[in-house]
Amino acid sequence: MKTFCGRANPTTGAMEWLEEDENYDYHQEIARSRYADMLHDKDRNVKYYQGIRAAVSRVKERGEKAIVLDIGTGTGLLSMMAASAGADFCYAIEVFKPMANAAVKIVEKNGFRDKIKVINKHSTEVTVGPDGDMQCRANILVTELFDTELIGEGALPTYEHAHKYLVQEGCEAVPHRATVYVQLVESKRMWSWNKLFPIHVEAEDGEKIIVSPSEMENCPGVPSVCDIQLNQMSSSDFTILSDVVTMFSVDFSKPVRSASTYYRVQLEPVKSGKAQIVLSWWDIDMDPSGMINCTMAPYWVKSTSAFQWRDHWMQCVYFLPNEEPVLQGEKVHLTACRDEYSVWYKLQKARGEEENKADVRVESPVCRCQAHLLWNRPRFGELNDQNRTRQYIKSLMKVLKTDSVCLCISDGSLLPVLAHYLGAKQFFKTNHLEDKIKIIEARPELLTSSHLEDKKISVLVGEPFFTTSLLPWHNLYFWYARTAVTSHLTSSVTVLPQSASLHMMIVEFQDLWRIRSPCGTCEGFDVQTMDDMIKNSLNFRESKEAEPHPLWEYPCKSLSDPQQVLTFDFRKTVPQHCLSTEGSVNLLRKGKSHGAVLWMEYHLASDISVSTGLMQISNEKGNCEWNPHCKQAVYFFSSVIESETLSDLPSAVTYAINFNTKTGEIAMDFEL
Ligand code: SAH
């Protein structure tokens, strides 16, 4: 059997359906999965184990047999914990076939074959009865079906169904309860991911300000949550406007209702300011007493010093539909609306309770301005980055002439607007008609001279940025597009950026290494089968691939100097042959070489460059500052070299990097 996978072709920028081996999808799923991260989450595992032991004892104390239902067993971990805690029997449900197979192997290897039955079904398909999947209903319900937003993976409908059909009334649930917390903040940085700020253009005849149209100003945006590693957000990036309050909680030991609903709380702002953002996270109590608590609270809230890093559960940023001024001490109502899978928020001034109630509508906000569909959150942030814009303006000013015919190739770019504003004066002075921006709805290779009103292009610009790009070098599509429009360019055309370069650096991650690192044993259970499975999936295509990560969220330190490894000259067309390079990079600091980070830099003009990766190495220790709007490429080494001292450092890492001009992909190999 063959499967088709949608993927953007970096040489055409178009989505293509590629015929893939039937295993491709599943290998991707395993290789990029969060299972390793969960198995490394000591805090989570320890607390689940404690909660499960407590639940089994409570059932045993009542003189009952402990029958466990583990929905979404994954590796089988929680069922094995239950069996070890003395459960009489466990039904381990797993919908994802490769995982169910792995669970069977892991359960056997750990000697629980008689105690745990793995069922490869979605829980809603599971039957109960003498001929059913389960002999009888369970009296302990164990699950870990939560995402950063708590309910995004379908925990509510799954619980609703389980209580109706799969567990006994009054069952014990681990976790027992989940609670969602919120805090109201003002944050220019986070708000810049949701609204386009005025853009200041310093043209020769003074400053001009580009403001967004009112539909955009007033647009409620898209409802989807923005999940981030909030602990990487400096406290100087936001102002706290309210205390942390409980928004809602769910008791998993009782019937759960998944139907859309809303919750509301009254907040008394602790500070006056502009309410823009609701920060949110949750915790789970593993037992009814609340003594075993696992929390996602960020650093400024959490009291414990023992901090657990994890990537499978982060924190949520919700954008209010519009910013609302609030006054210290003047109460406001915050409403959380939710459907089965997601949550969104609104804020109202406290008025008569009835009056407010009438206002509550549970429909989720819909973007009316299109911009939120065109630009994702990091892209909004990038377009709002005044420093970056300044570099583009400076470069445009260098290349634009009064009679320039300018073509921009980039998705959702403001460059044409900037160019227009910069050129406006000249047009005006030379008494030309007001310049206009023409949007050509044609792919570059299909561009005709009539699109261009028979003019030749004298200035070709791009950021470059394309929404389909996954890895940094996929924006080299600009180069292919430039090649496709060659016949429409003047012989002395200026291309901005004139070139790009690929840079590479060896790093030690503070935490990100966990997501790809084998686990061996987890709370005493042998989960090596899972490690092997991940390794096998990573090697599925023989050559390992780099993966995109926004490194501002994942601290690392540089172990080598950054090195420029390839350059791409946009003034020329894409060559027929591959571009490859080999070399070595010296290790300068002791540490663990977890992998290489790669990013692109664009050379807009001879002395103006922008980096989509490293911004600077901030101190002696090698801590790195990354472009906060872009994902960088991370290539994890399959073996980690650790050096305690500089003298036992391997002096260098050798690399071979190949840019295949036919496919637009980069293959790489490293040797430590
Ligand atoms: N219990 C494991 C794995 C948790 S990940 C652990 O704690 O380590 C969640 C798993 O649940 C995934 O493997 C997913 O495929 C599975 N899953 C989610 N909803 C499910 C459902 N309703 N029925 C069966 N499996 C489900």
Side-chain angles (χ1 to χ4, degrees):
M1 199 180 85
K2 292 279 179 186
T3 54
F4 289 88
C5 298
R7 203 165 60 108
N9 180 335
T11 71
T12 64
M15 285 301 285
E16 284 176 358
W17 292 99
L18 298 178
E19 207 178 312
E20 289 281 7
D21 187 291
E22 66 167 314
N23 291 323
Y24 177 78
D25 247 5
Y26 125 68
H27 282 300
Q28 277 298 315
E29 188 100 3
I30 299 284
R32 310 278 169 245
S33 73
R34 292 163 182 237
Y35 292 106
D37 183 30
M38 293 188 288
L39 294 173
H40 282 292
D41 186 344
K42 180 89 185 153
D43 179 61
R44 176 195 89 117
N45 300 337
V46 165
K47 285 167 179 167
Y48 259 98
Y49 210 169
Q50 289 174 353
I52 288 169
R53 282 202 199 97
V56 171
S57 326
R58 288 197 300 278
V59 168
K60 294 269 173 183
E61 272 162 27
R62 298 201 290 260
E64 294 169 23
K65 276 193 161 185
I67 308 296
V68 176
L69 171 63
D70 170 13
I71 302 181
T73 200
T75 53
L77 180 70
L78 305 183
S79 285
M80 294 193 291
M81 287 179 176
S84 300
D88 294 278
F89 201 77
C90 302
Y91 295 102
I93 320 295
E94 175 55 55
V95 65
F96 184 37
K97 183 133 209 283
M99 276 317 298
N101 293 344
V104 170
K105 283 191 206 148
I106 295 170
V107 162
E108 286 206 2
K109 201 168 174 191
N110 287 276
F112 294 107
R113 187 210 285 243
D114 303 335
K115 291 271 179 206
I116 300 172
K117 179 181 177 186
V118 177
I119 302 166
N120 175 209
K121 279 189 176 180
H122 191 266
S123 60
T124 52
E125 304 293 316
V126 170
T127 55
V128 183
D131 303 320
D133 299 311
M134 299 169 67
Q135 288 289 301
C136 61
R137 288 185 176 226
N139 54 6
I140 299 179
L141 174 57
V142 179
T143 77
E144 201 275 61
L145 301 169
F146 314 116
D147 66 348
T148 295
E149 204 179 12
L150 187 71
I151 63 172
E153 275 171 21
L156 294 177
T158 295
Y159 271 107
E160 183 168 37
H161 174 271
H163 277 286
K164 278 187 189 149
Y165 303 105
L166 307 177
V167 298
Q168 297 169 20
E169 206 186 313
C171 79
E172 301 288 344
V174 182
H176 176 79
R177 171 192 321 111
T179 308
V180 172
Y181 301 90
V182 292
Q183 187 165 36
L184 199 61
V185 303
E186 170 176 341
S187 166
K188 190 171 179 215
R189 174 160 181 208
M190 288 184 263
W191 197 238
S192 82
W193 301 341
N194 184 52
K195 293 276 171 188
L196 190 65
F197 295 165
I199 297 169
H200 298 260
V201 183
E202 272 136 49
E204 270 164 18
D205 57 345
E207 194 189 60
K208 293 165 185 171
I209 301 176
I210 306 174
V211 290
S212 52
S214 62
E215 307 118 270
M216 239 165 113
E217 271 302 289
N218 301 322
C219 178
V222 282
S224 58
V225 66
C226 171
D227 52 345
I228 60 164
Q229 292 281 1
L230 202 48
N231 291 310
Q232 296 310 318
M233 183 71 61
S234 151
S235 56
S236 60
D237 277 325
F238 59 96
T239 308
I240 288 173
L241 298 181
S242 84
D243 290 333
V244 177
V245 297
T246 297
M247 196 69 228
F248 64 93
S249 61
V250 187
D251 181 343
F252 296 122
S253 71
K254 305 254 159 57
V256 168
R257 277 177 50 103
S258 67
S260 297
T261 186
Y262 68 88
Y263 313 88
R264 80 187 343 206
V265 293
Q266 202 174 55
L267 294 178
E268 193 172 316
V270 294
K271 203 167 186 242
S272 299
K274 284 181 278 186
Q276 298 166 325
I277 309 276
V278 175
L279 298 179
S280 174
W281 57 89
W282 49 262
D283 66 12
I284 42 182
D285 284 318
M286 296 299 182
D287 73 336
S289 77
M291 298 295 284
I292 314 165
N293 181 271
C294 182
T295 179
M296 306 309 124
Y299 64 88
W300 66 92
V301 178
K302 206 159 176 162
S303 49
T304 61
S305 55
F307 194 82
Q308 175 69 56
W309 182 88
R310 46 171 74 94
D311 204 39
H312 61 117
W313 293 331
M314 297 183 270
Q315 292 78 24
C316 302
V317 176
Y318 294 98
F319 303 94
L320 289 170
N322 278 298
E323 63 180 18
E324 286 277 348
V326 295
L327 290 172
Q328 184 178 346
E330 208 159 279
K331 292 191 180 100
V332 288
H333 281 134
L334 182 66
T335 307
C337 303
R338 68 149 184 81
D339 56 21
E340 282 181 298
Y341 297 96
S342 63
V343 187
W344 59 96
Y345 285 87
K346 37 187 177 182
L347 190 73
Q348 287 152 313
K349 293 266 144 75
R351 288 171 294 172
E353 189 60 19
E354 285 314 305
E355 205 181 328
N356 267 333
K357 267 215 179 97
D359 269 9
V360 175
R361 272 179 298 274
V362 235
E363 298 91 72
S364 69
V366 182
C367 167
R368 296 187 296 251
C369 73
Q370 307 284 315
H372 298 92
L373 308 176
L374 180 67
W375 299 325
N376 64 14
R377 271 81 185 236
R379 179 65 171 152
F380 262 100
E382 184 172 53
L383 293 173
N384 279 322
D385 184 336
Q386 279 284 345
N387 256 334
R388 177 179 183 271
T389 304
R390 215 169 294 129
Q391 304 303 314
Y392 281 92
I393 290 174
K394 265 202 286 182
S395 319
L396 282 170
M397 282 169 80
K398 286 191 181 204
V399 303
L400 287 179
K401 304 208 177 68
T402 42
D403 56 353
S404 295
V405 178
C406 193
L407 177 70
C408 173
I409 304 179
S410 269
D411 286 346
S413 178
L414 297 176
L415 289 187
V417 185
L418 295 178
H420 170 72
Y421 271 66
L422 291 168
K425 179 195 159 197
Q426 282 100 330
F427 285 116
F428 183 71
K429 251 173 77 177
T430 49
N431 270 335
H432 275 221
L433 288 173
E434 183 73 23
D435 184 28
K436 54 184 188 296
I437 299 165
K438 182 174 169 188
I439 296 172
I440 305 172
E441 291 192 37
R443 310 197 49 76
E445 63 276 17
L446 302 176
L447 198 69
T448 62
S449 18
S450 68
H451 283 125
L452 302 170
E453 294 157 9
D454 291 321
K455 293 189 190 112
K456 290 268 182 202
I457 296 154
S458 57
V459 180
L460 178 68
V461 301
E463 300 184 31
F465 173 90
F466 301 98
T467 49
T468 52
S469 300
L470 299 173
L471 289 161
W473 46 87
H474 292 167
N475 285 324
L476 285 176
Y477 169 56
F478 177 73
W479 202 13
Y480 292 88
R482 176 257 177 265
T483 303
V485 301
T486 300
S487 65
H488 302 289
L489 308 177
T490 62
S491 54
S492 59
V493 65
T494 309
V495 184
L496 182 165
Q498 56 189 28
S499 64
S501 47
L502 179 70
H503 298 248
M504 188 270 289
M505 190 168 75
I506 310 298
V507 302
E508 173 184 72
F509 286 109
Q510 192 177 301
D511 300 294
L512 190 66
W513 59 271
R514 290 169 205 273
I515 67 167
R516 299 288 168 260
S517 153
C519 194
T521 62
C522 180
E523 297 310 302
F525 302 103
D526 182 342
V527 291
Q528 211 198 313
T529 306
M530 187 67 220
D531 295 337
D532 295 344
M533 210 167 128
I534 294 174
K535 201 166 146 206
N536 179 37
S537 287
L538 283 170
N539 294 334
F540 176 61
R541 283 173 175 260
E542 273 154 43
S543 67
K544 268 179 44 172
E545 288 172 18
E547 45 187 286
H549 291 285
L551 289 187
W552 73 266
E553 294 184 64
Y554 303 101
C556 63
K557 69 176 194 183
S558 70
L559 298 185
S560 75
D561 279 334
Q563 188 143 325
Q564 179 171 319
V565 286
L566 284 176
T567 56
F568 313 92
D569 188 351
F570 298 154
R571 289 165 298 192
K572 304 201 179 95
T573 56
V574 178
Q576 293 292 311
H577 56 85
C578 292
L579 300 178
S580 51
T581 179
E582 281 180 13
S584 70
V585 52
N586 291 331
L587 293 178
L588 307 170
R589 287 185 191 84
K590 59 181 184 182
K592 295 180 180 146
S593 305
H594 288 129
V597 178
L598 298 100
W599 67 93
M600 298 289 288
E601 294 189 5
Y602 296 105
H603 310 293
L604 305 181
S606 51
D607 55 347
I608 306 175
S609 294
V610 290
S611 170
T612 64
L614 190 67
M615 304 308 276
Q616 63 169 16
I617 294 177
S618 62
N619 59 14
E620 229 86 297
K621 289 188 192 131
N623 292 345
C624 303
E625 195 188 306
W626 298 97
N627 183 318
H629 317 299
C630 299
K631 288 184 180 178
Q632 291 75 35
V634 177
Y635 182 97
F636 287 99
F637 298 150
S638 32
S639 60
V640 172
I641 295 280
E642 183 176 358
S643 61
E644 292 303 328
T645 63
L646 257 180
S647 58
D648 63 44
L649 267 182
S651 54
V653 174
T654 60
Y655 59 83
I657 295 174
N658 180 52
F659 176 61
N660 182 336
T661 51
K662 295 276 177 309
T663 63
E665 293 293 353
I666 289 183
M668 59 195 88
D669 203 11
F670 292 87
E671 225 159 282
L672 292 143

